[in-house]
Amino acid sequence: MKVCYSDIGVTTKAGFGKVAHLPFILDSRPGYHRLASQYLIDRGLGVWSPETRGKGRRSNPLSRQTVKNYAHWLANFLEWAEVRDVPLATCNYADHLQDRYQSEMLSGIWSRNRAALTPVTVNLRVQQACDFLTWMHDKGHRGPFEFLTESARFKAGGATSAVGFRAIKVERRIGKVRQNKRRLRMPTEDEVRTWLKSVYENSGYSLGLACETILLTGLRIEEVASLRVDSVPIDMGDWHLSNADAPKSEQQVLIDVKYGTKGPDYGEDNGDKIGPVRTIHIPLLLAEKVDSFRLNRRNLALRKWINQSPDPRERKSRIGRAVHLFLNESTGGRVTSDNIYRAWKNGALPFDGWSPHLGRDWWACTTLLNEMDRYVKPGSGGRQAQPQLLEAAGLTIIRLRIQPQLGHRSESTSLIYLRWAQDRFGTALPILYDEAFENAVIQRSRPSR
């Protein structure tokens, strides 16, 4: 099975623009898998969901990344069913999905390298299979498909709520694989410095700055790739400093991000999903570095891309389409999330699992411990002398600072940082910036306009 996309322009011209952005699945013939592809259309357009069962449209449309994930999880199940000769029209939850499909993934029998898959991966794939088979029943393609669920509540962050959160009720599948609590592993200060320096050296300044932006803001990799040239206002007089009275190294600039953000999909702009807007803080030093980059290196890259076309009209069009902050310094084309991921992995990794997602976690952990230091008075015995105060302070920092910055809704998603801080009582994670590192890696000089 293979997840594919059509040419959006061709599909739109043929009269199918509404579904041109959605994936479809090719089977082993190869041929168009009609049931699976129609399911993805119904999910992508919101006309069917496990909550509404076709009785109404989903209030918030799924993001393109979510539909893409659904397609890959479903393709895996369909491939398993074909290889194992399990008929979609008659298979059931207990005998086939739970006892066989789920068990084979947990044991490594059904995995690419014969290694046991993580509970998260297994649960996502099985849930997608359940949703697809339920959809088949609702559309008249098979008999009833039943599996037991139970009600559960989780805490969604709510900094404006009197209790700090709001409880959301969900239905979850009985028989899910139990997941161990996520424990974070963070690199040391020296490891981060060595890795980041190697990214700049191996992949160039543009990609190095993109990776550093993840570290210093907690932005998702897609959000960094989607940053606009004016995401940090062009005129420094328009920069909104959240703490102008603080030392320069502690000052933050407020900016809005909406391209590539997680959540509802409100359309597309220059190839990027338009998502919910959120306001984030970025270090003033990083904002100055971005400003210097777009005045110098970015302009040189843009000139290369423009001059590749001999047609004056096309050159003018390219100028108008060059809205992204990060451009490839060799070609002038936009830097994609895949480019950033490869550059991240091409550095001197501190350990095998070091990833852009952990870079977000690194920002959160650094912020949490630095902010918690404000609650420890000199001579008070340190963090160990005030565990209750520090726990309350940590929760406050998570709700008011970390969750809004990262765009987390679930309280449990962010509480992994508090567990990490508890594991490190008595040891602080140093901040990234110091003068030696700045002089060695980053060009901070700002040219005259």
Side-chain angles (χ1 to χ4, degrees):
M1 303 290 171
K2 186 177 182 180
V3 176
C4 302
Y5 286 84
S6 66
D7 183 292
I8 292 181
V10 173
T11 307
T12 301
K13 189 174 181 180
F16 302 101
K18 187 179 293 187
V19 299
H21 64 285
L22 296 175
F24 61 91
I25 293 179
L26 293 181
D27 58 26
S28 58
R29 293 175 289 175
Y32 185 76
H33 197 297
R34 293 188 177 278
L35 287 179
S37 300
Q38 184 59 51
Y39 167 78
L40 294 174
I41 289 174
D42 286 355
R43 294 304 307 266
L45 297 181
V47 298
W48 188 94
S49 70
E51 298 81 18
T52 64
R53 301 285 297 271
K55 296 180 180 178
R57 282 185 177 271
R58 179 185 170 93
S59 57
N60 293 323
L62 299 175
S63 71
R64 297 189 180 187
Q65 183 60 48
T66 296
V67 179
K68 180 180 179 180
N69 291 340
Y70 286 1
H72 283 283
W73 297 333
L74 176 58
N76 183 272
F77 166 67
L78 294 174
E79 190 166 303
W80 174 85
E82 181 172 310
V83 171
R84 299 290 185 257
D85 197 25
V86 174
L88 298 177
T90 58
C91 67
N92 64 70
Y93 174 69
D95 296 332
H96 298 100
L97 268 64
Q98 189 173 18
D99 289 352
R100 295 185 60 185
Y101 183 47
Q102 180 170 286
S103 297
E104 288 185 21
M105 288 188 286
L106 287 173
S107 65
I109 295 174
W110 184 258
S111 72
R112 180 177 300 177
N113 56 4
R114 291 289 180 177
L117 301 181
T118 65
V120 172
T121 299
V122 173
N123 287 335
L124 289 171
R125 288 180 177 178
V126 173
Q127 184 60 55
Q128 197 56 221
C130 290
D131 292 345
F132 173 66
L133 295 174
T134 302
W135 172 87
M136 283 184 61
H137 163 67
D138 290 351
K139 297 297 181 179
H141 299 298
R142 60 160 290 150
F145 179 79
E146 298 176 350
F147 60 97
L148 297 178
T149 62
E150 60 184 355
S151 297
R153 292 180 179 272
F154 73 91
K155 296 178 181 179
T160 58
S161 169
V163 293
F165 62 88
R166 53 194 176 89
I168 295 181
K169 183 179 179 181
V170 297
E171 293 292 321
R172 62 185 182 190
R173 175 175 59 86
I174 294 178
K176 290 180 64 174
V177 183
R178 185 179 180 84
Q179 302 176 24
N180 293 328
K181 291 183 178 179
R182 183 181 170 206
R183 312 298 292 198
L184 290 177
R185 177 187 176 188
M186 289 288 107
T188 66
E189 173 191 5
D190 287 341
E191 288 173 333
V192 171
R193 294 176 190 277
T194 300
W195 164 80
L196 183 57
K197 185 175 184 293
S198 70
V199 173
Y200 274 97
E201 293 173 346
N202 297 342
S203 301
Y205 194 88
S206 181
L207 287 166
L209 184 57
C211 290
E212 190 176 4
T213 299
I214 295 176
L215 281 180
L216 299 183
T217 64
L219 286 172
R220 296 180 177 89
I221 188 171
E222 190 64 38
E223 293 168 343
V224 171
S226 302
L227 285 174
R228 297 318 200 227
V229 67
D230 60 352
S231 290
V232 176
I234 301 295
D235 188 342
M236 295 181 68
D238 295 330
W239 290 7
H240 182 182
L241 298 178
S242 63
N243 48 355
D245 295 332
K248 184 176 180 180
S249 61
E250 298 179 11
Q251 292 182 29
Q252 305 274 333
V253 179
L254 295 176
I255 68 170
D256 292 333
V257 292
K258 67 177 181 180
Y259 300 110
T261 57
K262 191 175 181 179
D265 191 333
Y266 301 122
E268 183 179 295
D269 180 85
N270 284 278
D272 299 315
K273 167 199 168 186
I274 303 174
V277 180
R278 75 177 189 276
T279 301
I280 67 165
H281 298 74
I282 71 169
L284 175 60
L285 293 175
L286 177 62
E288 290 181 339
K289 194 183 311 179
V290 165
D291 190 54
S292 177
F293 164 75
R294 66 187 172 193
L295 286 173
N296 294 282
R297 294 175 181 267
R298 183 186 182 279
N299 278 342
L300 292 175
L302 178 59
R303 190 173 301 140
K304 290 181 182 179
W305 190 57
I306 294 172
N307 292 337
Q308 288 174 6
S309 175
D311 185 354
R313 289 177 297 181
E314 172 61 19
R315 290 200 294 269
K316 183 176 180 180
S317 175
R318 289 189 175 195
I319 294 175
R321 301 199 308 269
V323 299
H324 295 94
L325 171 63
F326 294 112
L327 301 181
N328 185 298
E329 293 179 77
S330 299
T331 66
R334 69 165 296 188
V335 165
T336 66
S337 57
D338 288 340
N339 298 148
I340 298 173
Y341 184 84
R342 285 194 292 269
W344 186 289
K345 290 294 188 177
N346 195 36
L349 299 177
F351 50 84
D352 287 342
W354 180 239
S355 66
H357 187 77
L358 274 184
R360 280 165 50 83
D361 292 337
W362 191 91
W363 173 87
C365 291
T366 305
T367 300
L368 178 60
L369 285 191
N370 287 341
E371 292 292 333
M372 287 176 70
D373 278 339
R374 302 175 188 273
Y375 292 84
V376 181
K377 298 179 181 179
S380 63
R383 295 191 183 97
Q384 293 179 346
Q386 305 176 25
Q388 293 180 335
L389 172 61
L390 288 172
E391 182 177 357
L395 287 171
T396 300
I397 295 164
I398 286 172
R399 289 165 179 160
L400 296 181
R401 181 79 171 90
I402 294 176
Q403 282 185 253
Q405 181 89 1
L406 297 182
H408 282 172
R409 290 186 61 209
S410 172
E411 186 95 336
S412 60
T413 305
S414 300
L415 289 182
I416 57 172
Y417 308 129
L418 188 59
R419 288 200 297 270
W420 180 86
Q422 291 170 339
D423 290 342
R424 290 181 56 91
F425 271 359
T427 304
L429 185 63
I431 61 173
L432 180 62
Y433 282 106
D434 67 22
E435 200 66 32
F437 178 71
E438 286 291 295
N439 291 336
V441 179
I442 302 162
Q443 299 179 3
R444 293 174 58 188
S445 60
R446 176 180 172 81
S448 59
R449 294 187 180 273

